[in-house]
Amino acid sequence: MAARESPRCRDLRVNAASISSVTDRPAVSPAVARISALLLADIDALSDAVAGAIAAAERTLLPAPNYERLRDNNRRHLTAVLTYLAGGPETGLPIARETGCESAAEGVPLPVVLRTYRIAARVTWDRAMALTGDELGAGRALLATASEVWRLVDDYSQAMTIGYQEAMSEIQRRDARLRDAALDALLTGRVDGGNLREYADIVRLPVQSSYAVVAAASESAAAEPLPGVGEALTALGVRSAWRVRVDTQIGIVAVTDTFTLERLTALLGERATGAVGVSAAYGMLTDTAAALRQAELACATAQSDSDRVVRYDRALIPVLLAGAPEIADALIQRVLGPLLELPEHDRATLLETMSAWFASDGEVAAVAGVLFCHRNTVRFRLNRITDLTGRRFTAPAESAELFLALHAYRSRRTDSAR
């Protein structure tokens, strides 16, 4: 149990009047008041007994407690409670709330702190019963107020728990802000060798590893297009750090020989609700900003209904076009312009034939099989495309322009459908 109030806890502390109102004043008998006064008169011995019992019971869980500090803190608590039971006006509940706050700041688990309260109550109660001796009336008076005494202990535990929870909430908010700031520094390149280890520790990533950046498009503001991905990776022993922005979810994932880019892509595909891009693997966290650009470009080429996860190093041509939208638009207009002016049915038929031709490596028979038509029909459509675009499928440079223009057109159609 902590003794000092940290700056963090001062902001969470409330005034004594509002805390003391947690419990109603029980009627204290003269016998109980007299026993409480006797315990107060020997408060140092009682504090030693309580501190010793707590240290013995929780030596494996309390973080290397300083005995004098533990004793002094218990003395404060015991003095407040016994003064109240002896007839004093204040319950001393603010002390319990501060203790909860300090315990959270020191990382002491809440169940441990609650057990220390129960131990202190048990030791004090045993001493009080011992002080009644053979006085039958005093023993009965003490037992008659047992329920009120233990209710007061419950009030102390509740006040301490409130302080603990408030402090934990503030600690979690602070840690979240710190993680977001460190992750943003990595993603934007505002990091160098001097502070790299500090930032890596904050976001819980290894300093030396291979990494990949993931960018997933959100279908609604601040939504997670990869729900539960961080927890799923942690369950596999994979370290990662994630951040949700307005329209994207971004993560840095440590990849290894056993958890490869292929495994990462498969896991992302199982969870993705929209388009996802994955960067190429890289070896230094200082290169994260460049990898983020790769992931964003790959995400821009992915389709939300199929091929949701696109790896940058497996889709260089679509990524190239996504990174140069002006060139992509020029290709569409200059190469496919006349074809796109056709009626919808004709336009769709020729684009489908062109796609099948490239997918079939230019084998007319294979295209005919895919499209369920005669080979002469395929040749007729290919010749018509050549007439409209001025580009021949048999000329490598002209065929490359058709291929790039088709990819650019598909990307624009995908973007407009999102």
Side-chain angles (χ1 to χ4, degrees):
M1 298 171 68
R4 299 186 183 89
E5 181 184 23
S6 71
R8 182 183 301 110
C9 291
R10 288 192 205 104
D11 296 334
L12 298 174
R13 191 168 43 130
V14 299
N15 61 63
S18 63
I19 289 290
S20 296
S21 65
V22 173
T23 183
D24 297 326
R25 173 82 201 197
V28 179
S29 70
V32 172
R34 182 175 64 82
I35 292 172
S36 298
L38 289 173
L39 289 171
L40 278 170
D42 198 19
I43 192 65
D44 289 335
L46 177 60
S47 299
D48 280 332
V50 170
I54 291 173
E58 300 294 347
R59 64 167 58 96
T60 60
L61 294 176
L62 287 174
N66 179 287
Y67 182 81
E68 290 301 322
R69 186 179 177 192
L70 180 64
R71 177 185 178 279
D72 291 344
N73 190 52
N74 279 287
R75 192 179 194 280
R76 283 199 311 147
H77 281 76
L78 292 167
T79 299
V81 174
L82 293 173
T83 299
Y84 179 70
L85 290 175
E90 299 295 339
T91 62
L93 289 177
I95 297 174
R97 190 160 183 153
E98 293 168 23
T99 295
C101 178
E102 291 288 348
S103 299
E106 293 178 358
V108 182
L110 179 58
V112 172
V113 187
L114 289 170
R115 279 199 295 274
T116 66
Y117 270 65
R118 291 195 292 271
I119 292 170
R122 174 176 53 79
V123 172
T124 304
W125 181 263
D126 289 345
R127 289 235 167 182
M129 290 298 295
L131 285 174
T132 64
D134 296 330
E135 292 186 47
L136 187 59
R140 285 177 176 175
L142 187 60
L143 291 172
T145 59
S147 62
E148 293 296 338
V149 171
W150 290 108
R151 187 163 73 90
L152 183 60
V153 172
D154 287 341
D155 288 341
Y156 262 78
S157 298
Q158 181 183 16
M160 186 278 300
T161 300
I162 291 172
Y164 191 99
Q165 291 171 340
E166 288 177 337
M168 283 302 300
S169 295
E170 178 58 30
I171 291 169
Q172 289 166 357
R173 286 192 293 268
R174 180 206 64 191
D175 290 347
R177 291 192 297 267
L178 195 60
R179 282 195 300 272
D180 287 347
L183 188 54
D184 281 344
L186 290 170
L187 293 169
T188 56
R190 299 193 311 272
V191 62
D192 54 40
N195 52 23
L196 179 61
R197 179 174 293 277
E198 176 187 358
Y199 287 164
D201 288 343
I202 290 172
V203 299
R204 299 170 186 170
L205 285 172
V207 178
Q208 294 182 338
S209 181
S210 291
Y211 314 91
V213 173
V214 177
S218 299
E219 296 183 352
S220 59
E224 292 191 8
L226 292 166
V229 65
E231 293 81 356
L233 289 169
T234 299
L236 294 172
V238 179
R239 297 168 72 177
S240 65
W242 296 87
R243 177 78 188 274
V244 177
R245 293 180 173 175
V246 175
D247 57 354
T248 54
Q249 183 178 2
I250 298 170
I252 306 173
V253 181
V255 295
T256 64
D257 292 340
T258 55
F259 191 82
T260 60
L261 277 178
E262 286 75 14
R263 287 192 64 187
L264 173 61
T265 302
L267 185 145
L268 296 173
E270 293 171 357
R271 294 182 171 270
T273 61
V276 181
V278 183
S279 74
Y282 61 103
M284 291 291 295
L285 276 175
T286 48
D287 295 331
T288 298
L292 173 60
R293 176 61 176 163
Q294 293 180 359
E296 290 175 333
L297 288 172
C299 181
T301 70
Q303 301 179 33
S304 58
D305 55 346
S306 61
D307 299 326
R308 286 182 171 178
V309 182
V310 172
R311 282 178 50 179
Y312 175 85
D313 54 358
R314 298 284 178 86
L316 292 178
I317 289 177
V319 166
L320 175 66
L321 295 170
E326 298 86 358
I327 296 176
D329 289 340
L331 273 170
I332 293 170
Q333 292 304 317
R334 292 188 60 181
V335 177
L336 299 180
L339 187 154
L340 298 178
E341 293 175 0
L342 295 174
E344 181 178 357
H345 176 73
D346 288 348
R347 179 176 67 247
T349 299
L350 294 182
L351 289 173
E352 182 184 32
T353 301
M354 193 187 313
S355 297
W357 192 86
F358 285 117
S360 303
D361 296 328
E363 292 288 340
V364 173
V367 176
V370 170
L371 300 180
F372 300 103
C373 63
H374 196 275
R375 286 176 291 180
N376 288 339
T377 302
V378 174
R379 294 189 183 95
F380 172 78
R381 292 176 184 176
L382 294 175
N383 289 334
R384 193 175 176 204
I385 293 170
T386 296
D387 292 340
L388 289 166
T389 64
R391 271 80 175 174
R392 297 163 296 170
F393 287 93
T394 55
E398 295 173 13
S399 179
E401 286 188 340
L402 288 169
F403 180 78
L404 292 173
L406 179 62
H407 269 283
Y409 177 74
R410 283 176 172 172
S411 296
R412 285 291 179 269
R413 295 273 291 181
T414 299
D415 291 342
S416 62
R418 288 176 183 170

